[in-house]
């Protein structure tokens, strides 16, 4: 079972592996992962994601930025849990 700690410093862990903020190397990707964990039972729109991630600023290309962040997040998760977790649900809609 994978556990998630959201209070204090972020970390995801099981009996043998741990993923923390330092291993992710990006505060924005950590923020994306936390947002997705907190909204795992909801359909999240691209607009909701961009509003949650860029609260003080606007991205010129939010879809491209999110696509890149999702790619990097899936790669980071695969390094820690290469076989045990399915990442197919970590995708963005094809239309804005």
């Amino acid at each position: 079972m994978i556990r998630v700690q959201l209070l204090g410093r972020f970390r995801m862990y099981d009996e043998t592996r741990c993923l923390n903020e330092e291993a992710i190397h990006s505060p924005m990707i950590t923020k994306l992962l936390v947002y997705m964990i907190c909204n795992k039972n909801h359909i999240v729109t691209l607009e909701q994601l961009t509003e949650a991630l860029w609260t003080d600023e606007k991205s010129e290309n939010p879809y491209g930025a999110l696509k890149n962040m999702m790619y990097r997040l899936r790669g980071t998760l695969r390094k820690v849990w290469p076989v045990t977790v399915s990442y197919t649900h970590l995708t963005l809609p094809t239309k804005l």
Side-chain angles (χ1 to χ4, degrees):
M1 173 188 296
I2 297 175
R3 298 176 187 267
V4 179
Q5 176 181 315
L6 297 175
L7 298 175
R9 298 190 59 83
F10 170 81
R11 71 182 182 131
M12 285 177 65
Y13 58 97
D14 62 15
E15 299 80 22
T16 59
R17 296 162 285 209
C18 181
L19 177 65
N20 58 25
E21 295 173 68
E22 291 78 23
I24 295 174
H25 301 295
S26 168
M28 287 295 284
I29 292 176
T30 302
K31 193 174 181 180
L32 171 62
L33 180 56
V34 168
Y35 186 85
M36 293 185 69
I37 290 168
C38 290
N39 291 281
K40 68 179 183 177
N41 295 321
H42 301 92
I43 295 172
V44 178
T45 66
L46 182 60
E47 183 177 276
Q48 290 170 316
L49 277 171
T50 57
E51 287 175 8
L53 295 172
W54 289 279
T55 54
D56 297 334
E57 58 193 60
K58 295 292 179 195
S59 173
E60 290 182 24
N61 183 4
Y63 186 79
L66 281 170
K67 186 176 177 181
N68 180 274
M69 289 170 53
M70 285 289 198
Y71 173 82
R72 291 173 54 199
L73 175 58
R74 284 191 303 267
T76 299
L77 290 170
R78 280 189 190 108
K79 287 178 187 175
V80 179
W81 290 282
V83 183
T84 57
V85 178
S86 170
Y87 307 105
T88 56
H89 60 284
L90 293 177
T91 59
L92 294 173
T94 55
K95 296 181 181 178
L96 294 178

